[in-house]
Amino acid sequence: MKQLVAPSLLSADFGNLRPQMEMINRSECDWLHIDIMDGVFVPNISFGFPVLKYVAELCRKPLDVHLMIVQPEKFLNEVKALGAYSMNVHVEACTHLHRVVQQIKEAGMKAGVTLNPATPVSALVDIIGDVDIVMLMAVNPGFGGQKFIPHTLDKVCALRKLIDESGSGALIEVDGGVNHDTGRRLVDAGTDVLVAGSAVFRAADPLEEIRFLKNL
Ligand code: DX5
Ligand code: ZN
């Protein structure tokens, strides 16, 4: 399977949201990645549901929602109301991760669990059979445009092994610092989904950049 590409809305030009979403709709990308922050779980705040309602109306690609907030289950209904394809919660933000994963699936969305750079892949041993997506952060979450943490490549390999041995069908998604070079290495290591914020939206030709990442 060719890797999926999910441009991250965080790096879009919000003054030109409509043309930016028209570009996304025309592009070869697979999902639109949406970062929601609360200023508590991460030291930044992005956008909330009133803005995302407008994004959801404009965007025809499936929405991949990444919640960088404490107690993300409190907003399950809001994420569902957006028509989201997937809901990714941080392992570090959920005391009862198993329950949250079941709730996401019962709500009809793909369940994604996300690991911060310092959280080991082994934290997933008892949940891997229940999830649809595992997302590895290749930067500390909260900001776009950060440098890729190379150890993420080892984590992709460890996760691929865990998925294969457990018989799980989970996709491996990587978020942060994805560019031509790191994207190539991530795909070689077994990554299924590349999230790219600044690489896409700050490129001279975002459509061409998406095509490049899609054909790595
Ligand atoms: C970071 C976000 C990422 C961010 C990636 O907290 O989760 O999705 O947009 O941005 P780049 O691709 O610029 O590292
Ligand atoms: Zn993200």
Side-chain angles (χ1 to χ4, degrees), residues 9 12-22 51 54-55 58:
L9 180 68
D13 175 0
F14 298 115
N16 290 296
L17 201 50
R18 184 181 291 272
Q20 296 268 275
M21 290 303 101
E22 284 166 0
V51 175
Y54 182 59
V55 170
L58 293 174

Side-chain angles (χ1 to χ4, degrees), residues 8 10-11 33 35 37 66 68 137 141-146 175-177 195-198:
S8 173
L10 191 63
S11 296
H33 183 83
D35 291 302
M37 307 179 189
H66 175 196
M68 283 162 275
M137 292 308 302
F143 304 91
Q146 301 182 80
D175 185 10
V195 176
S198 46

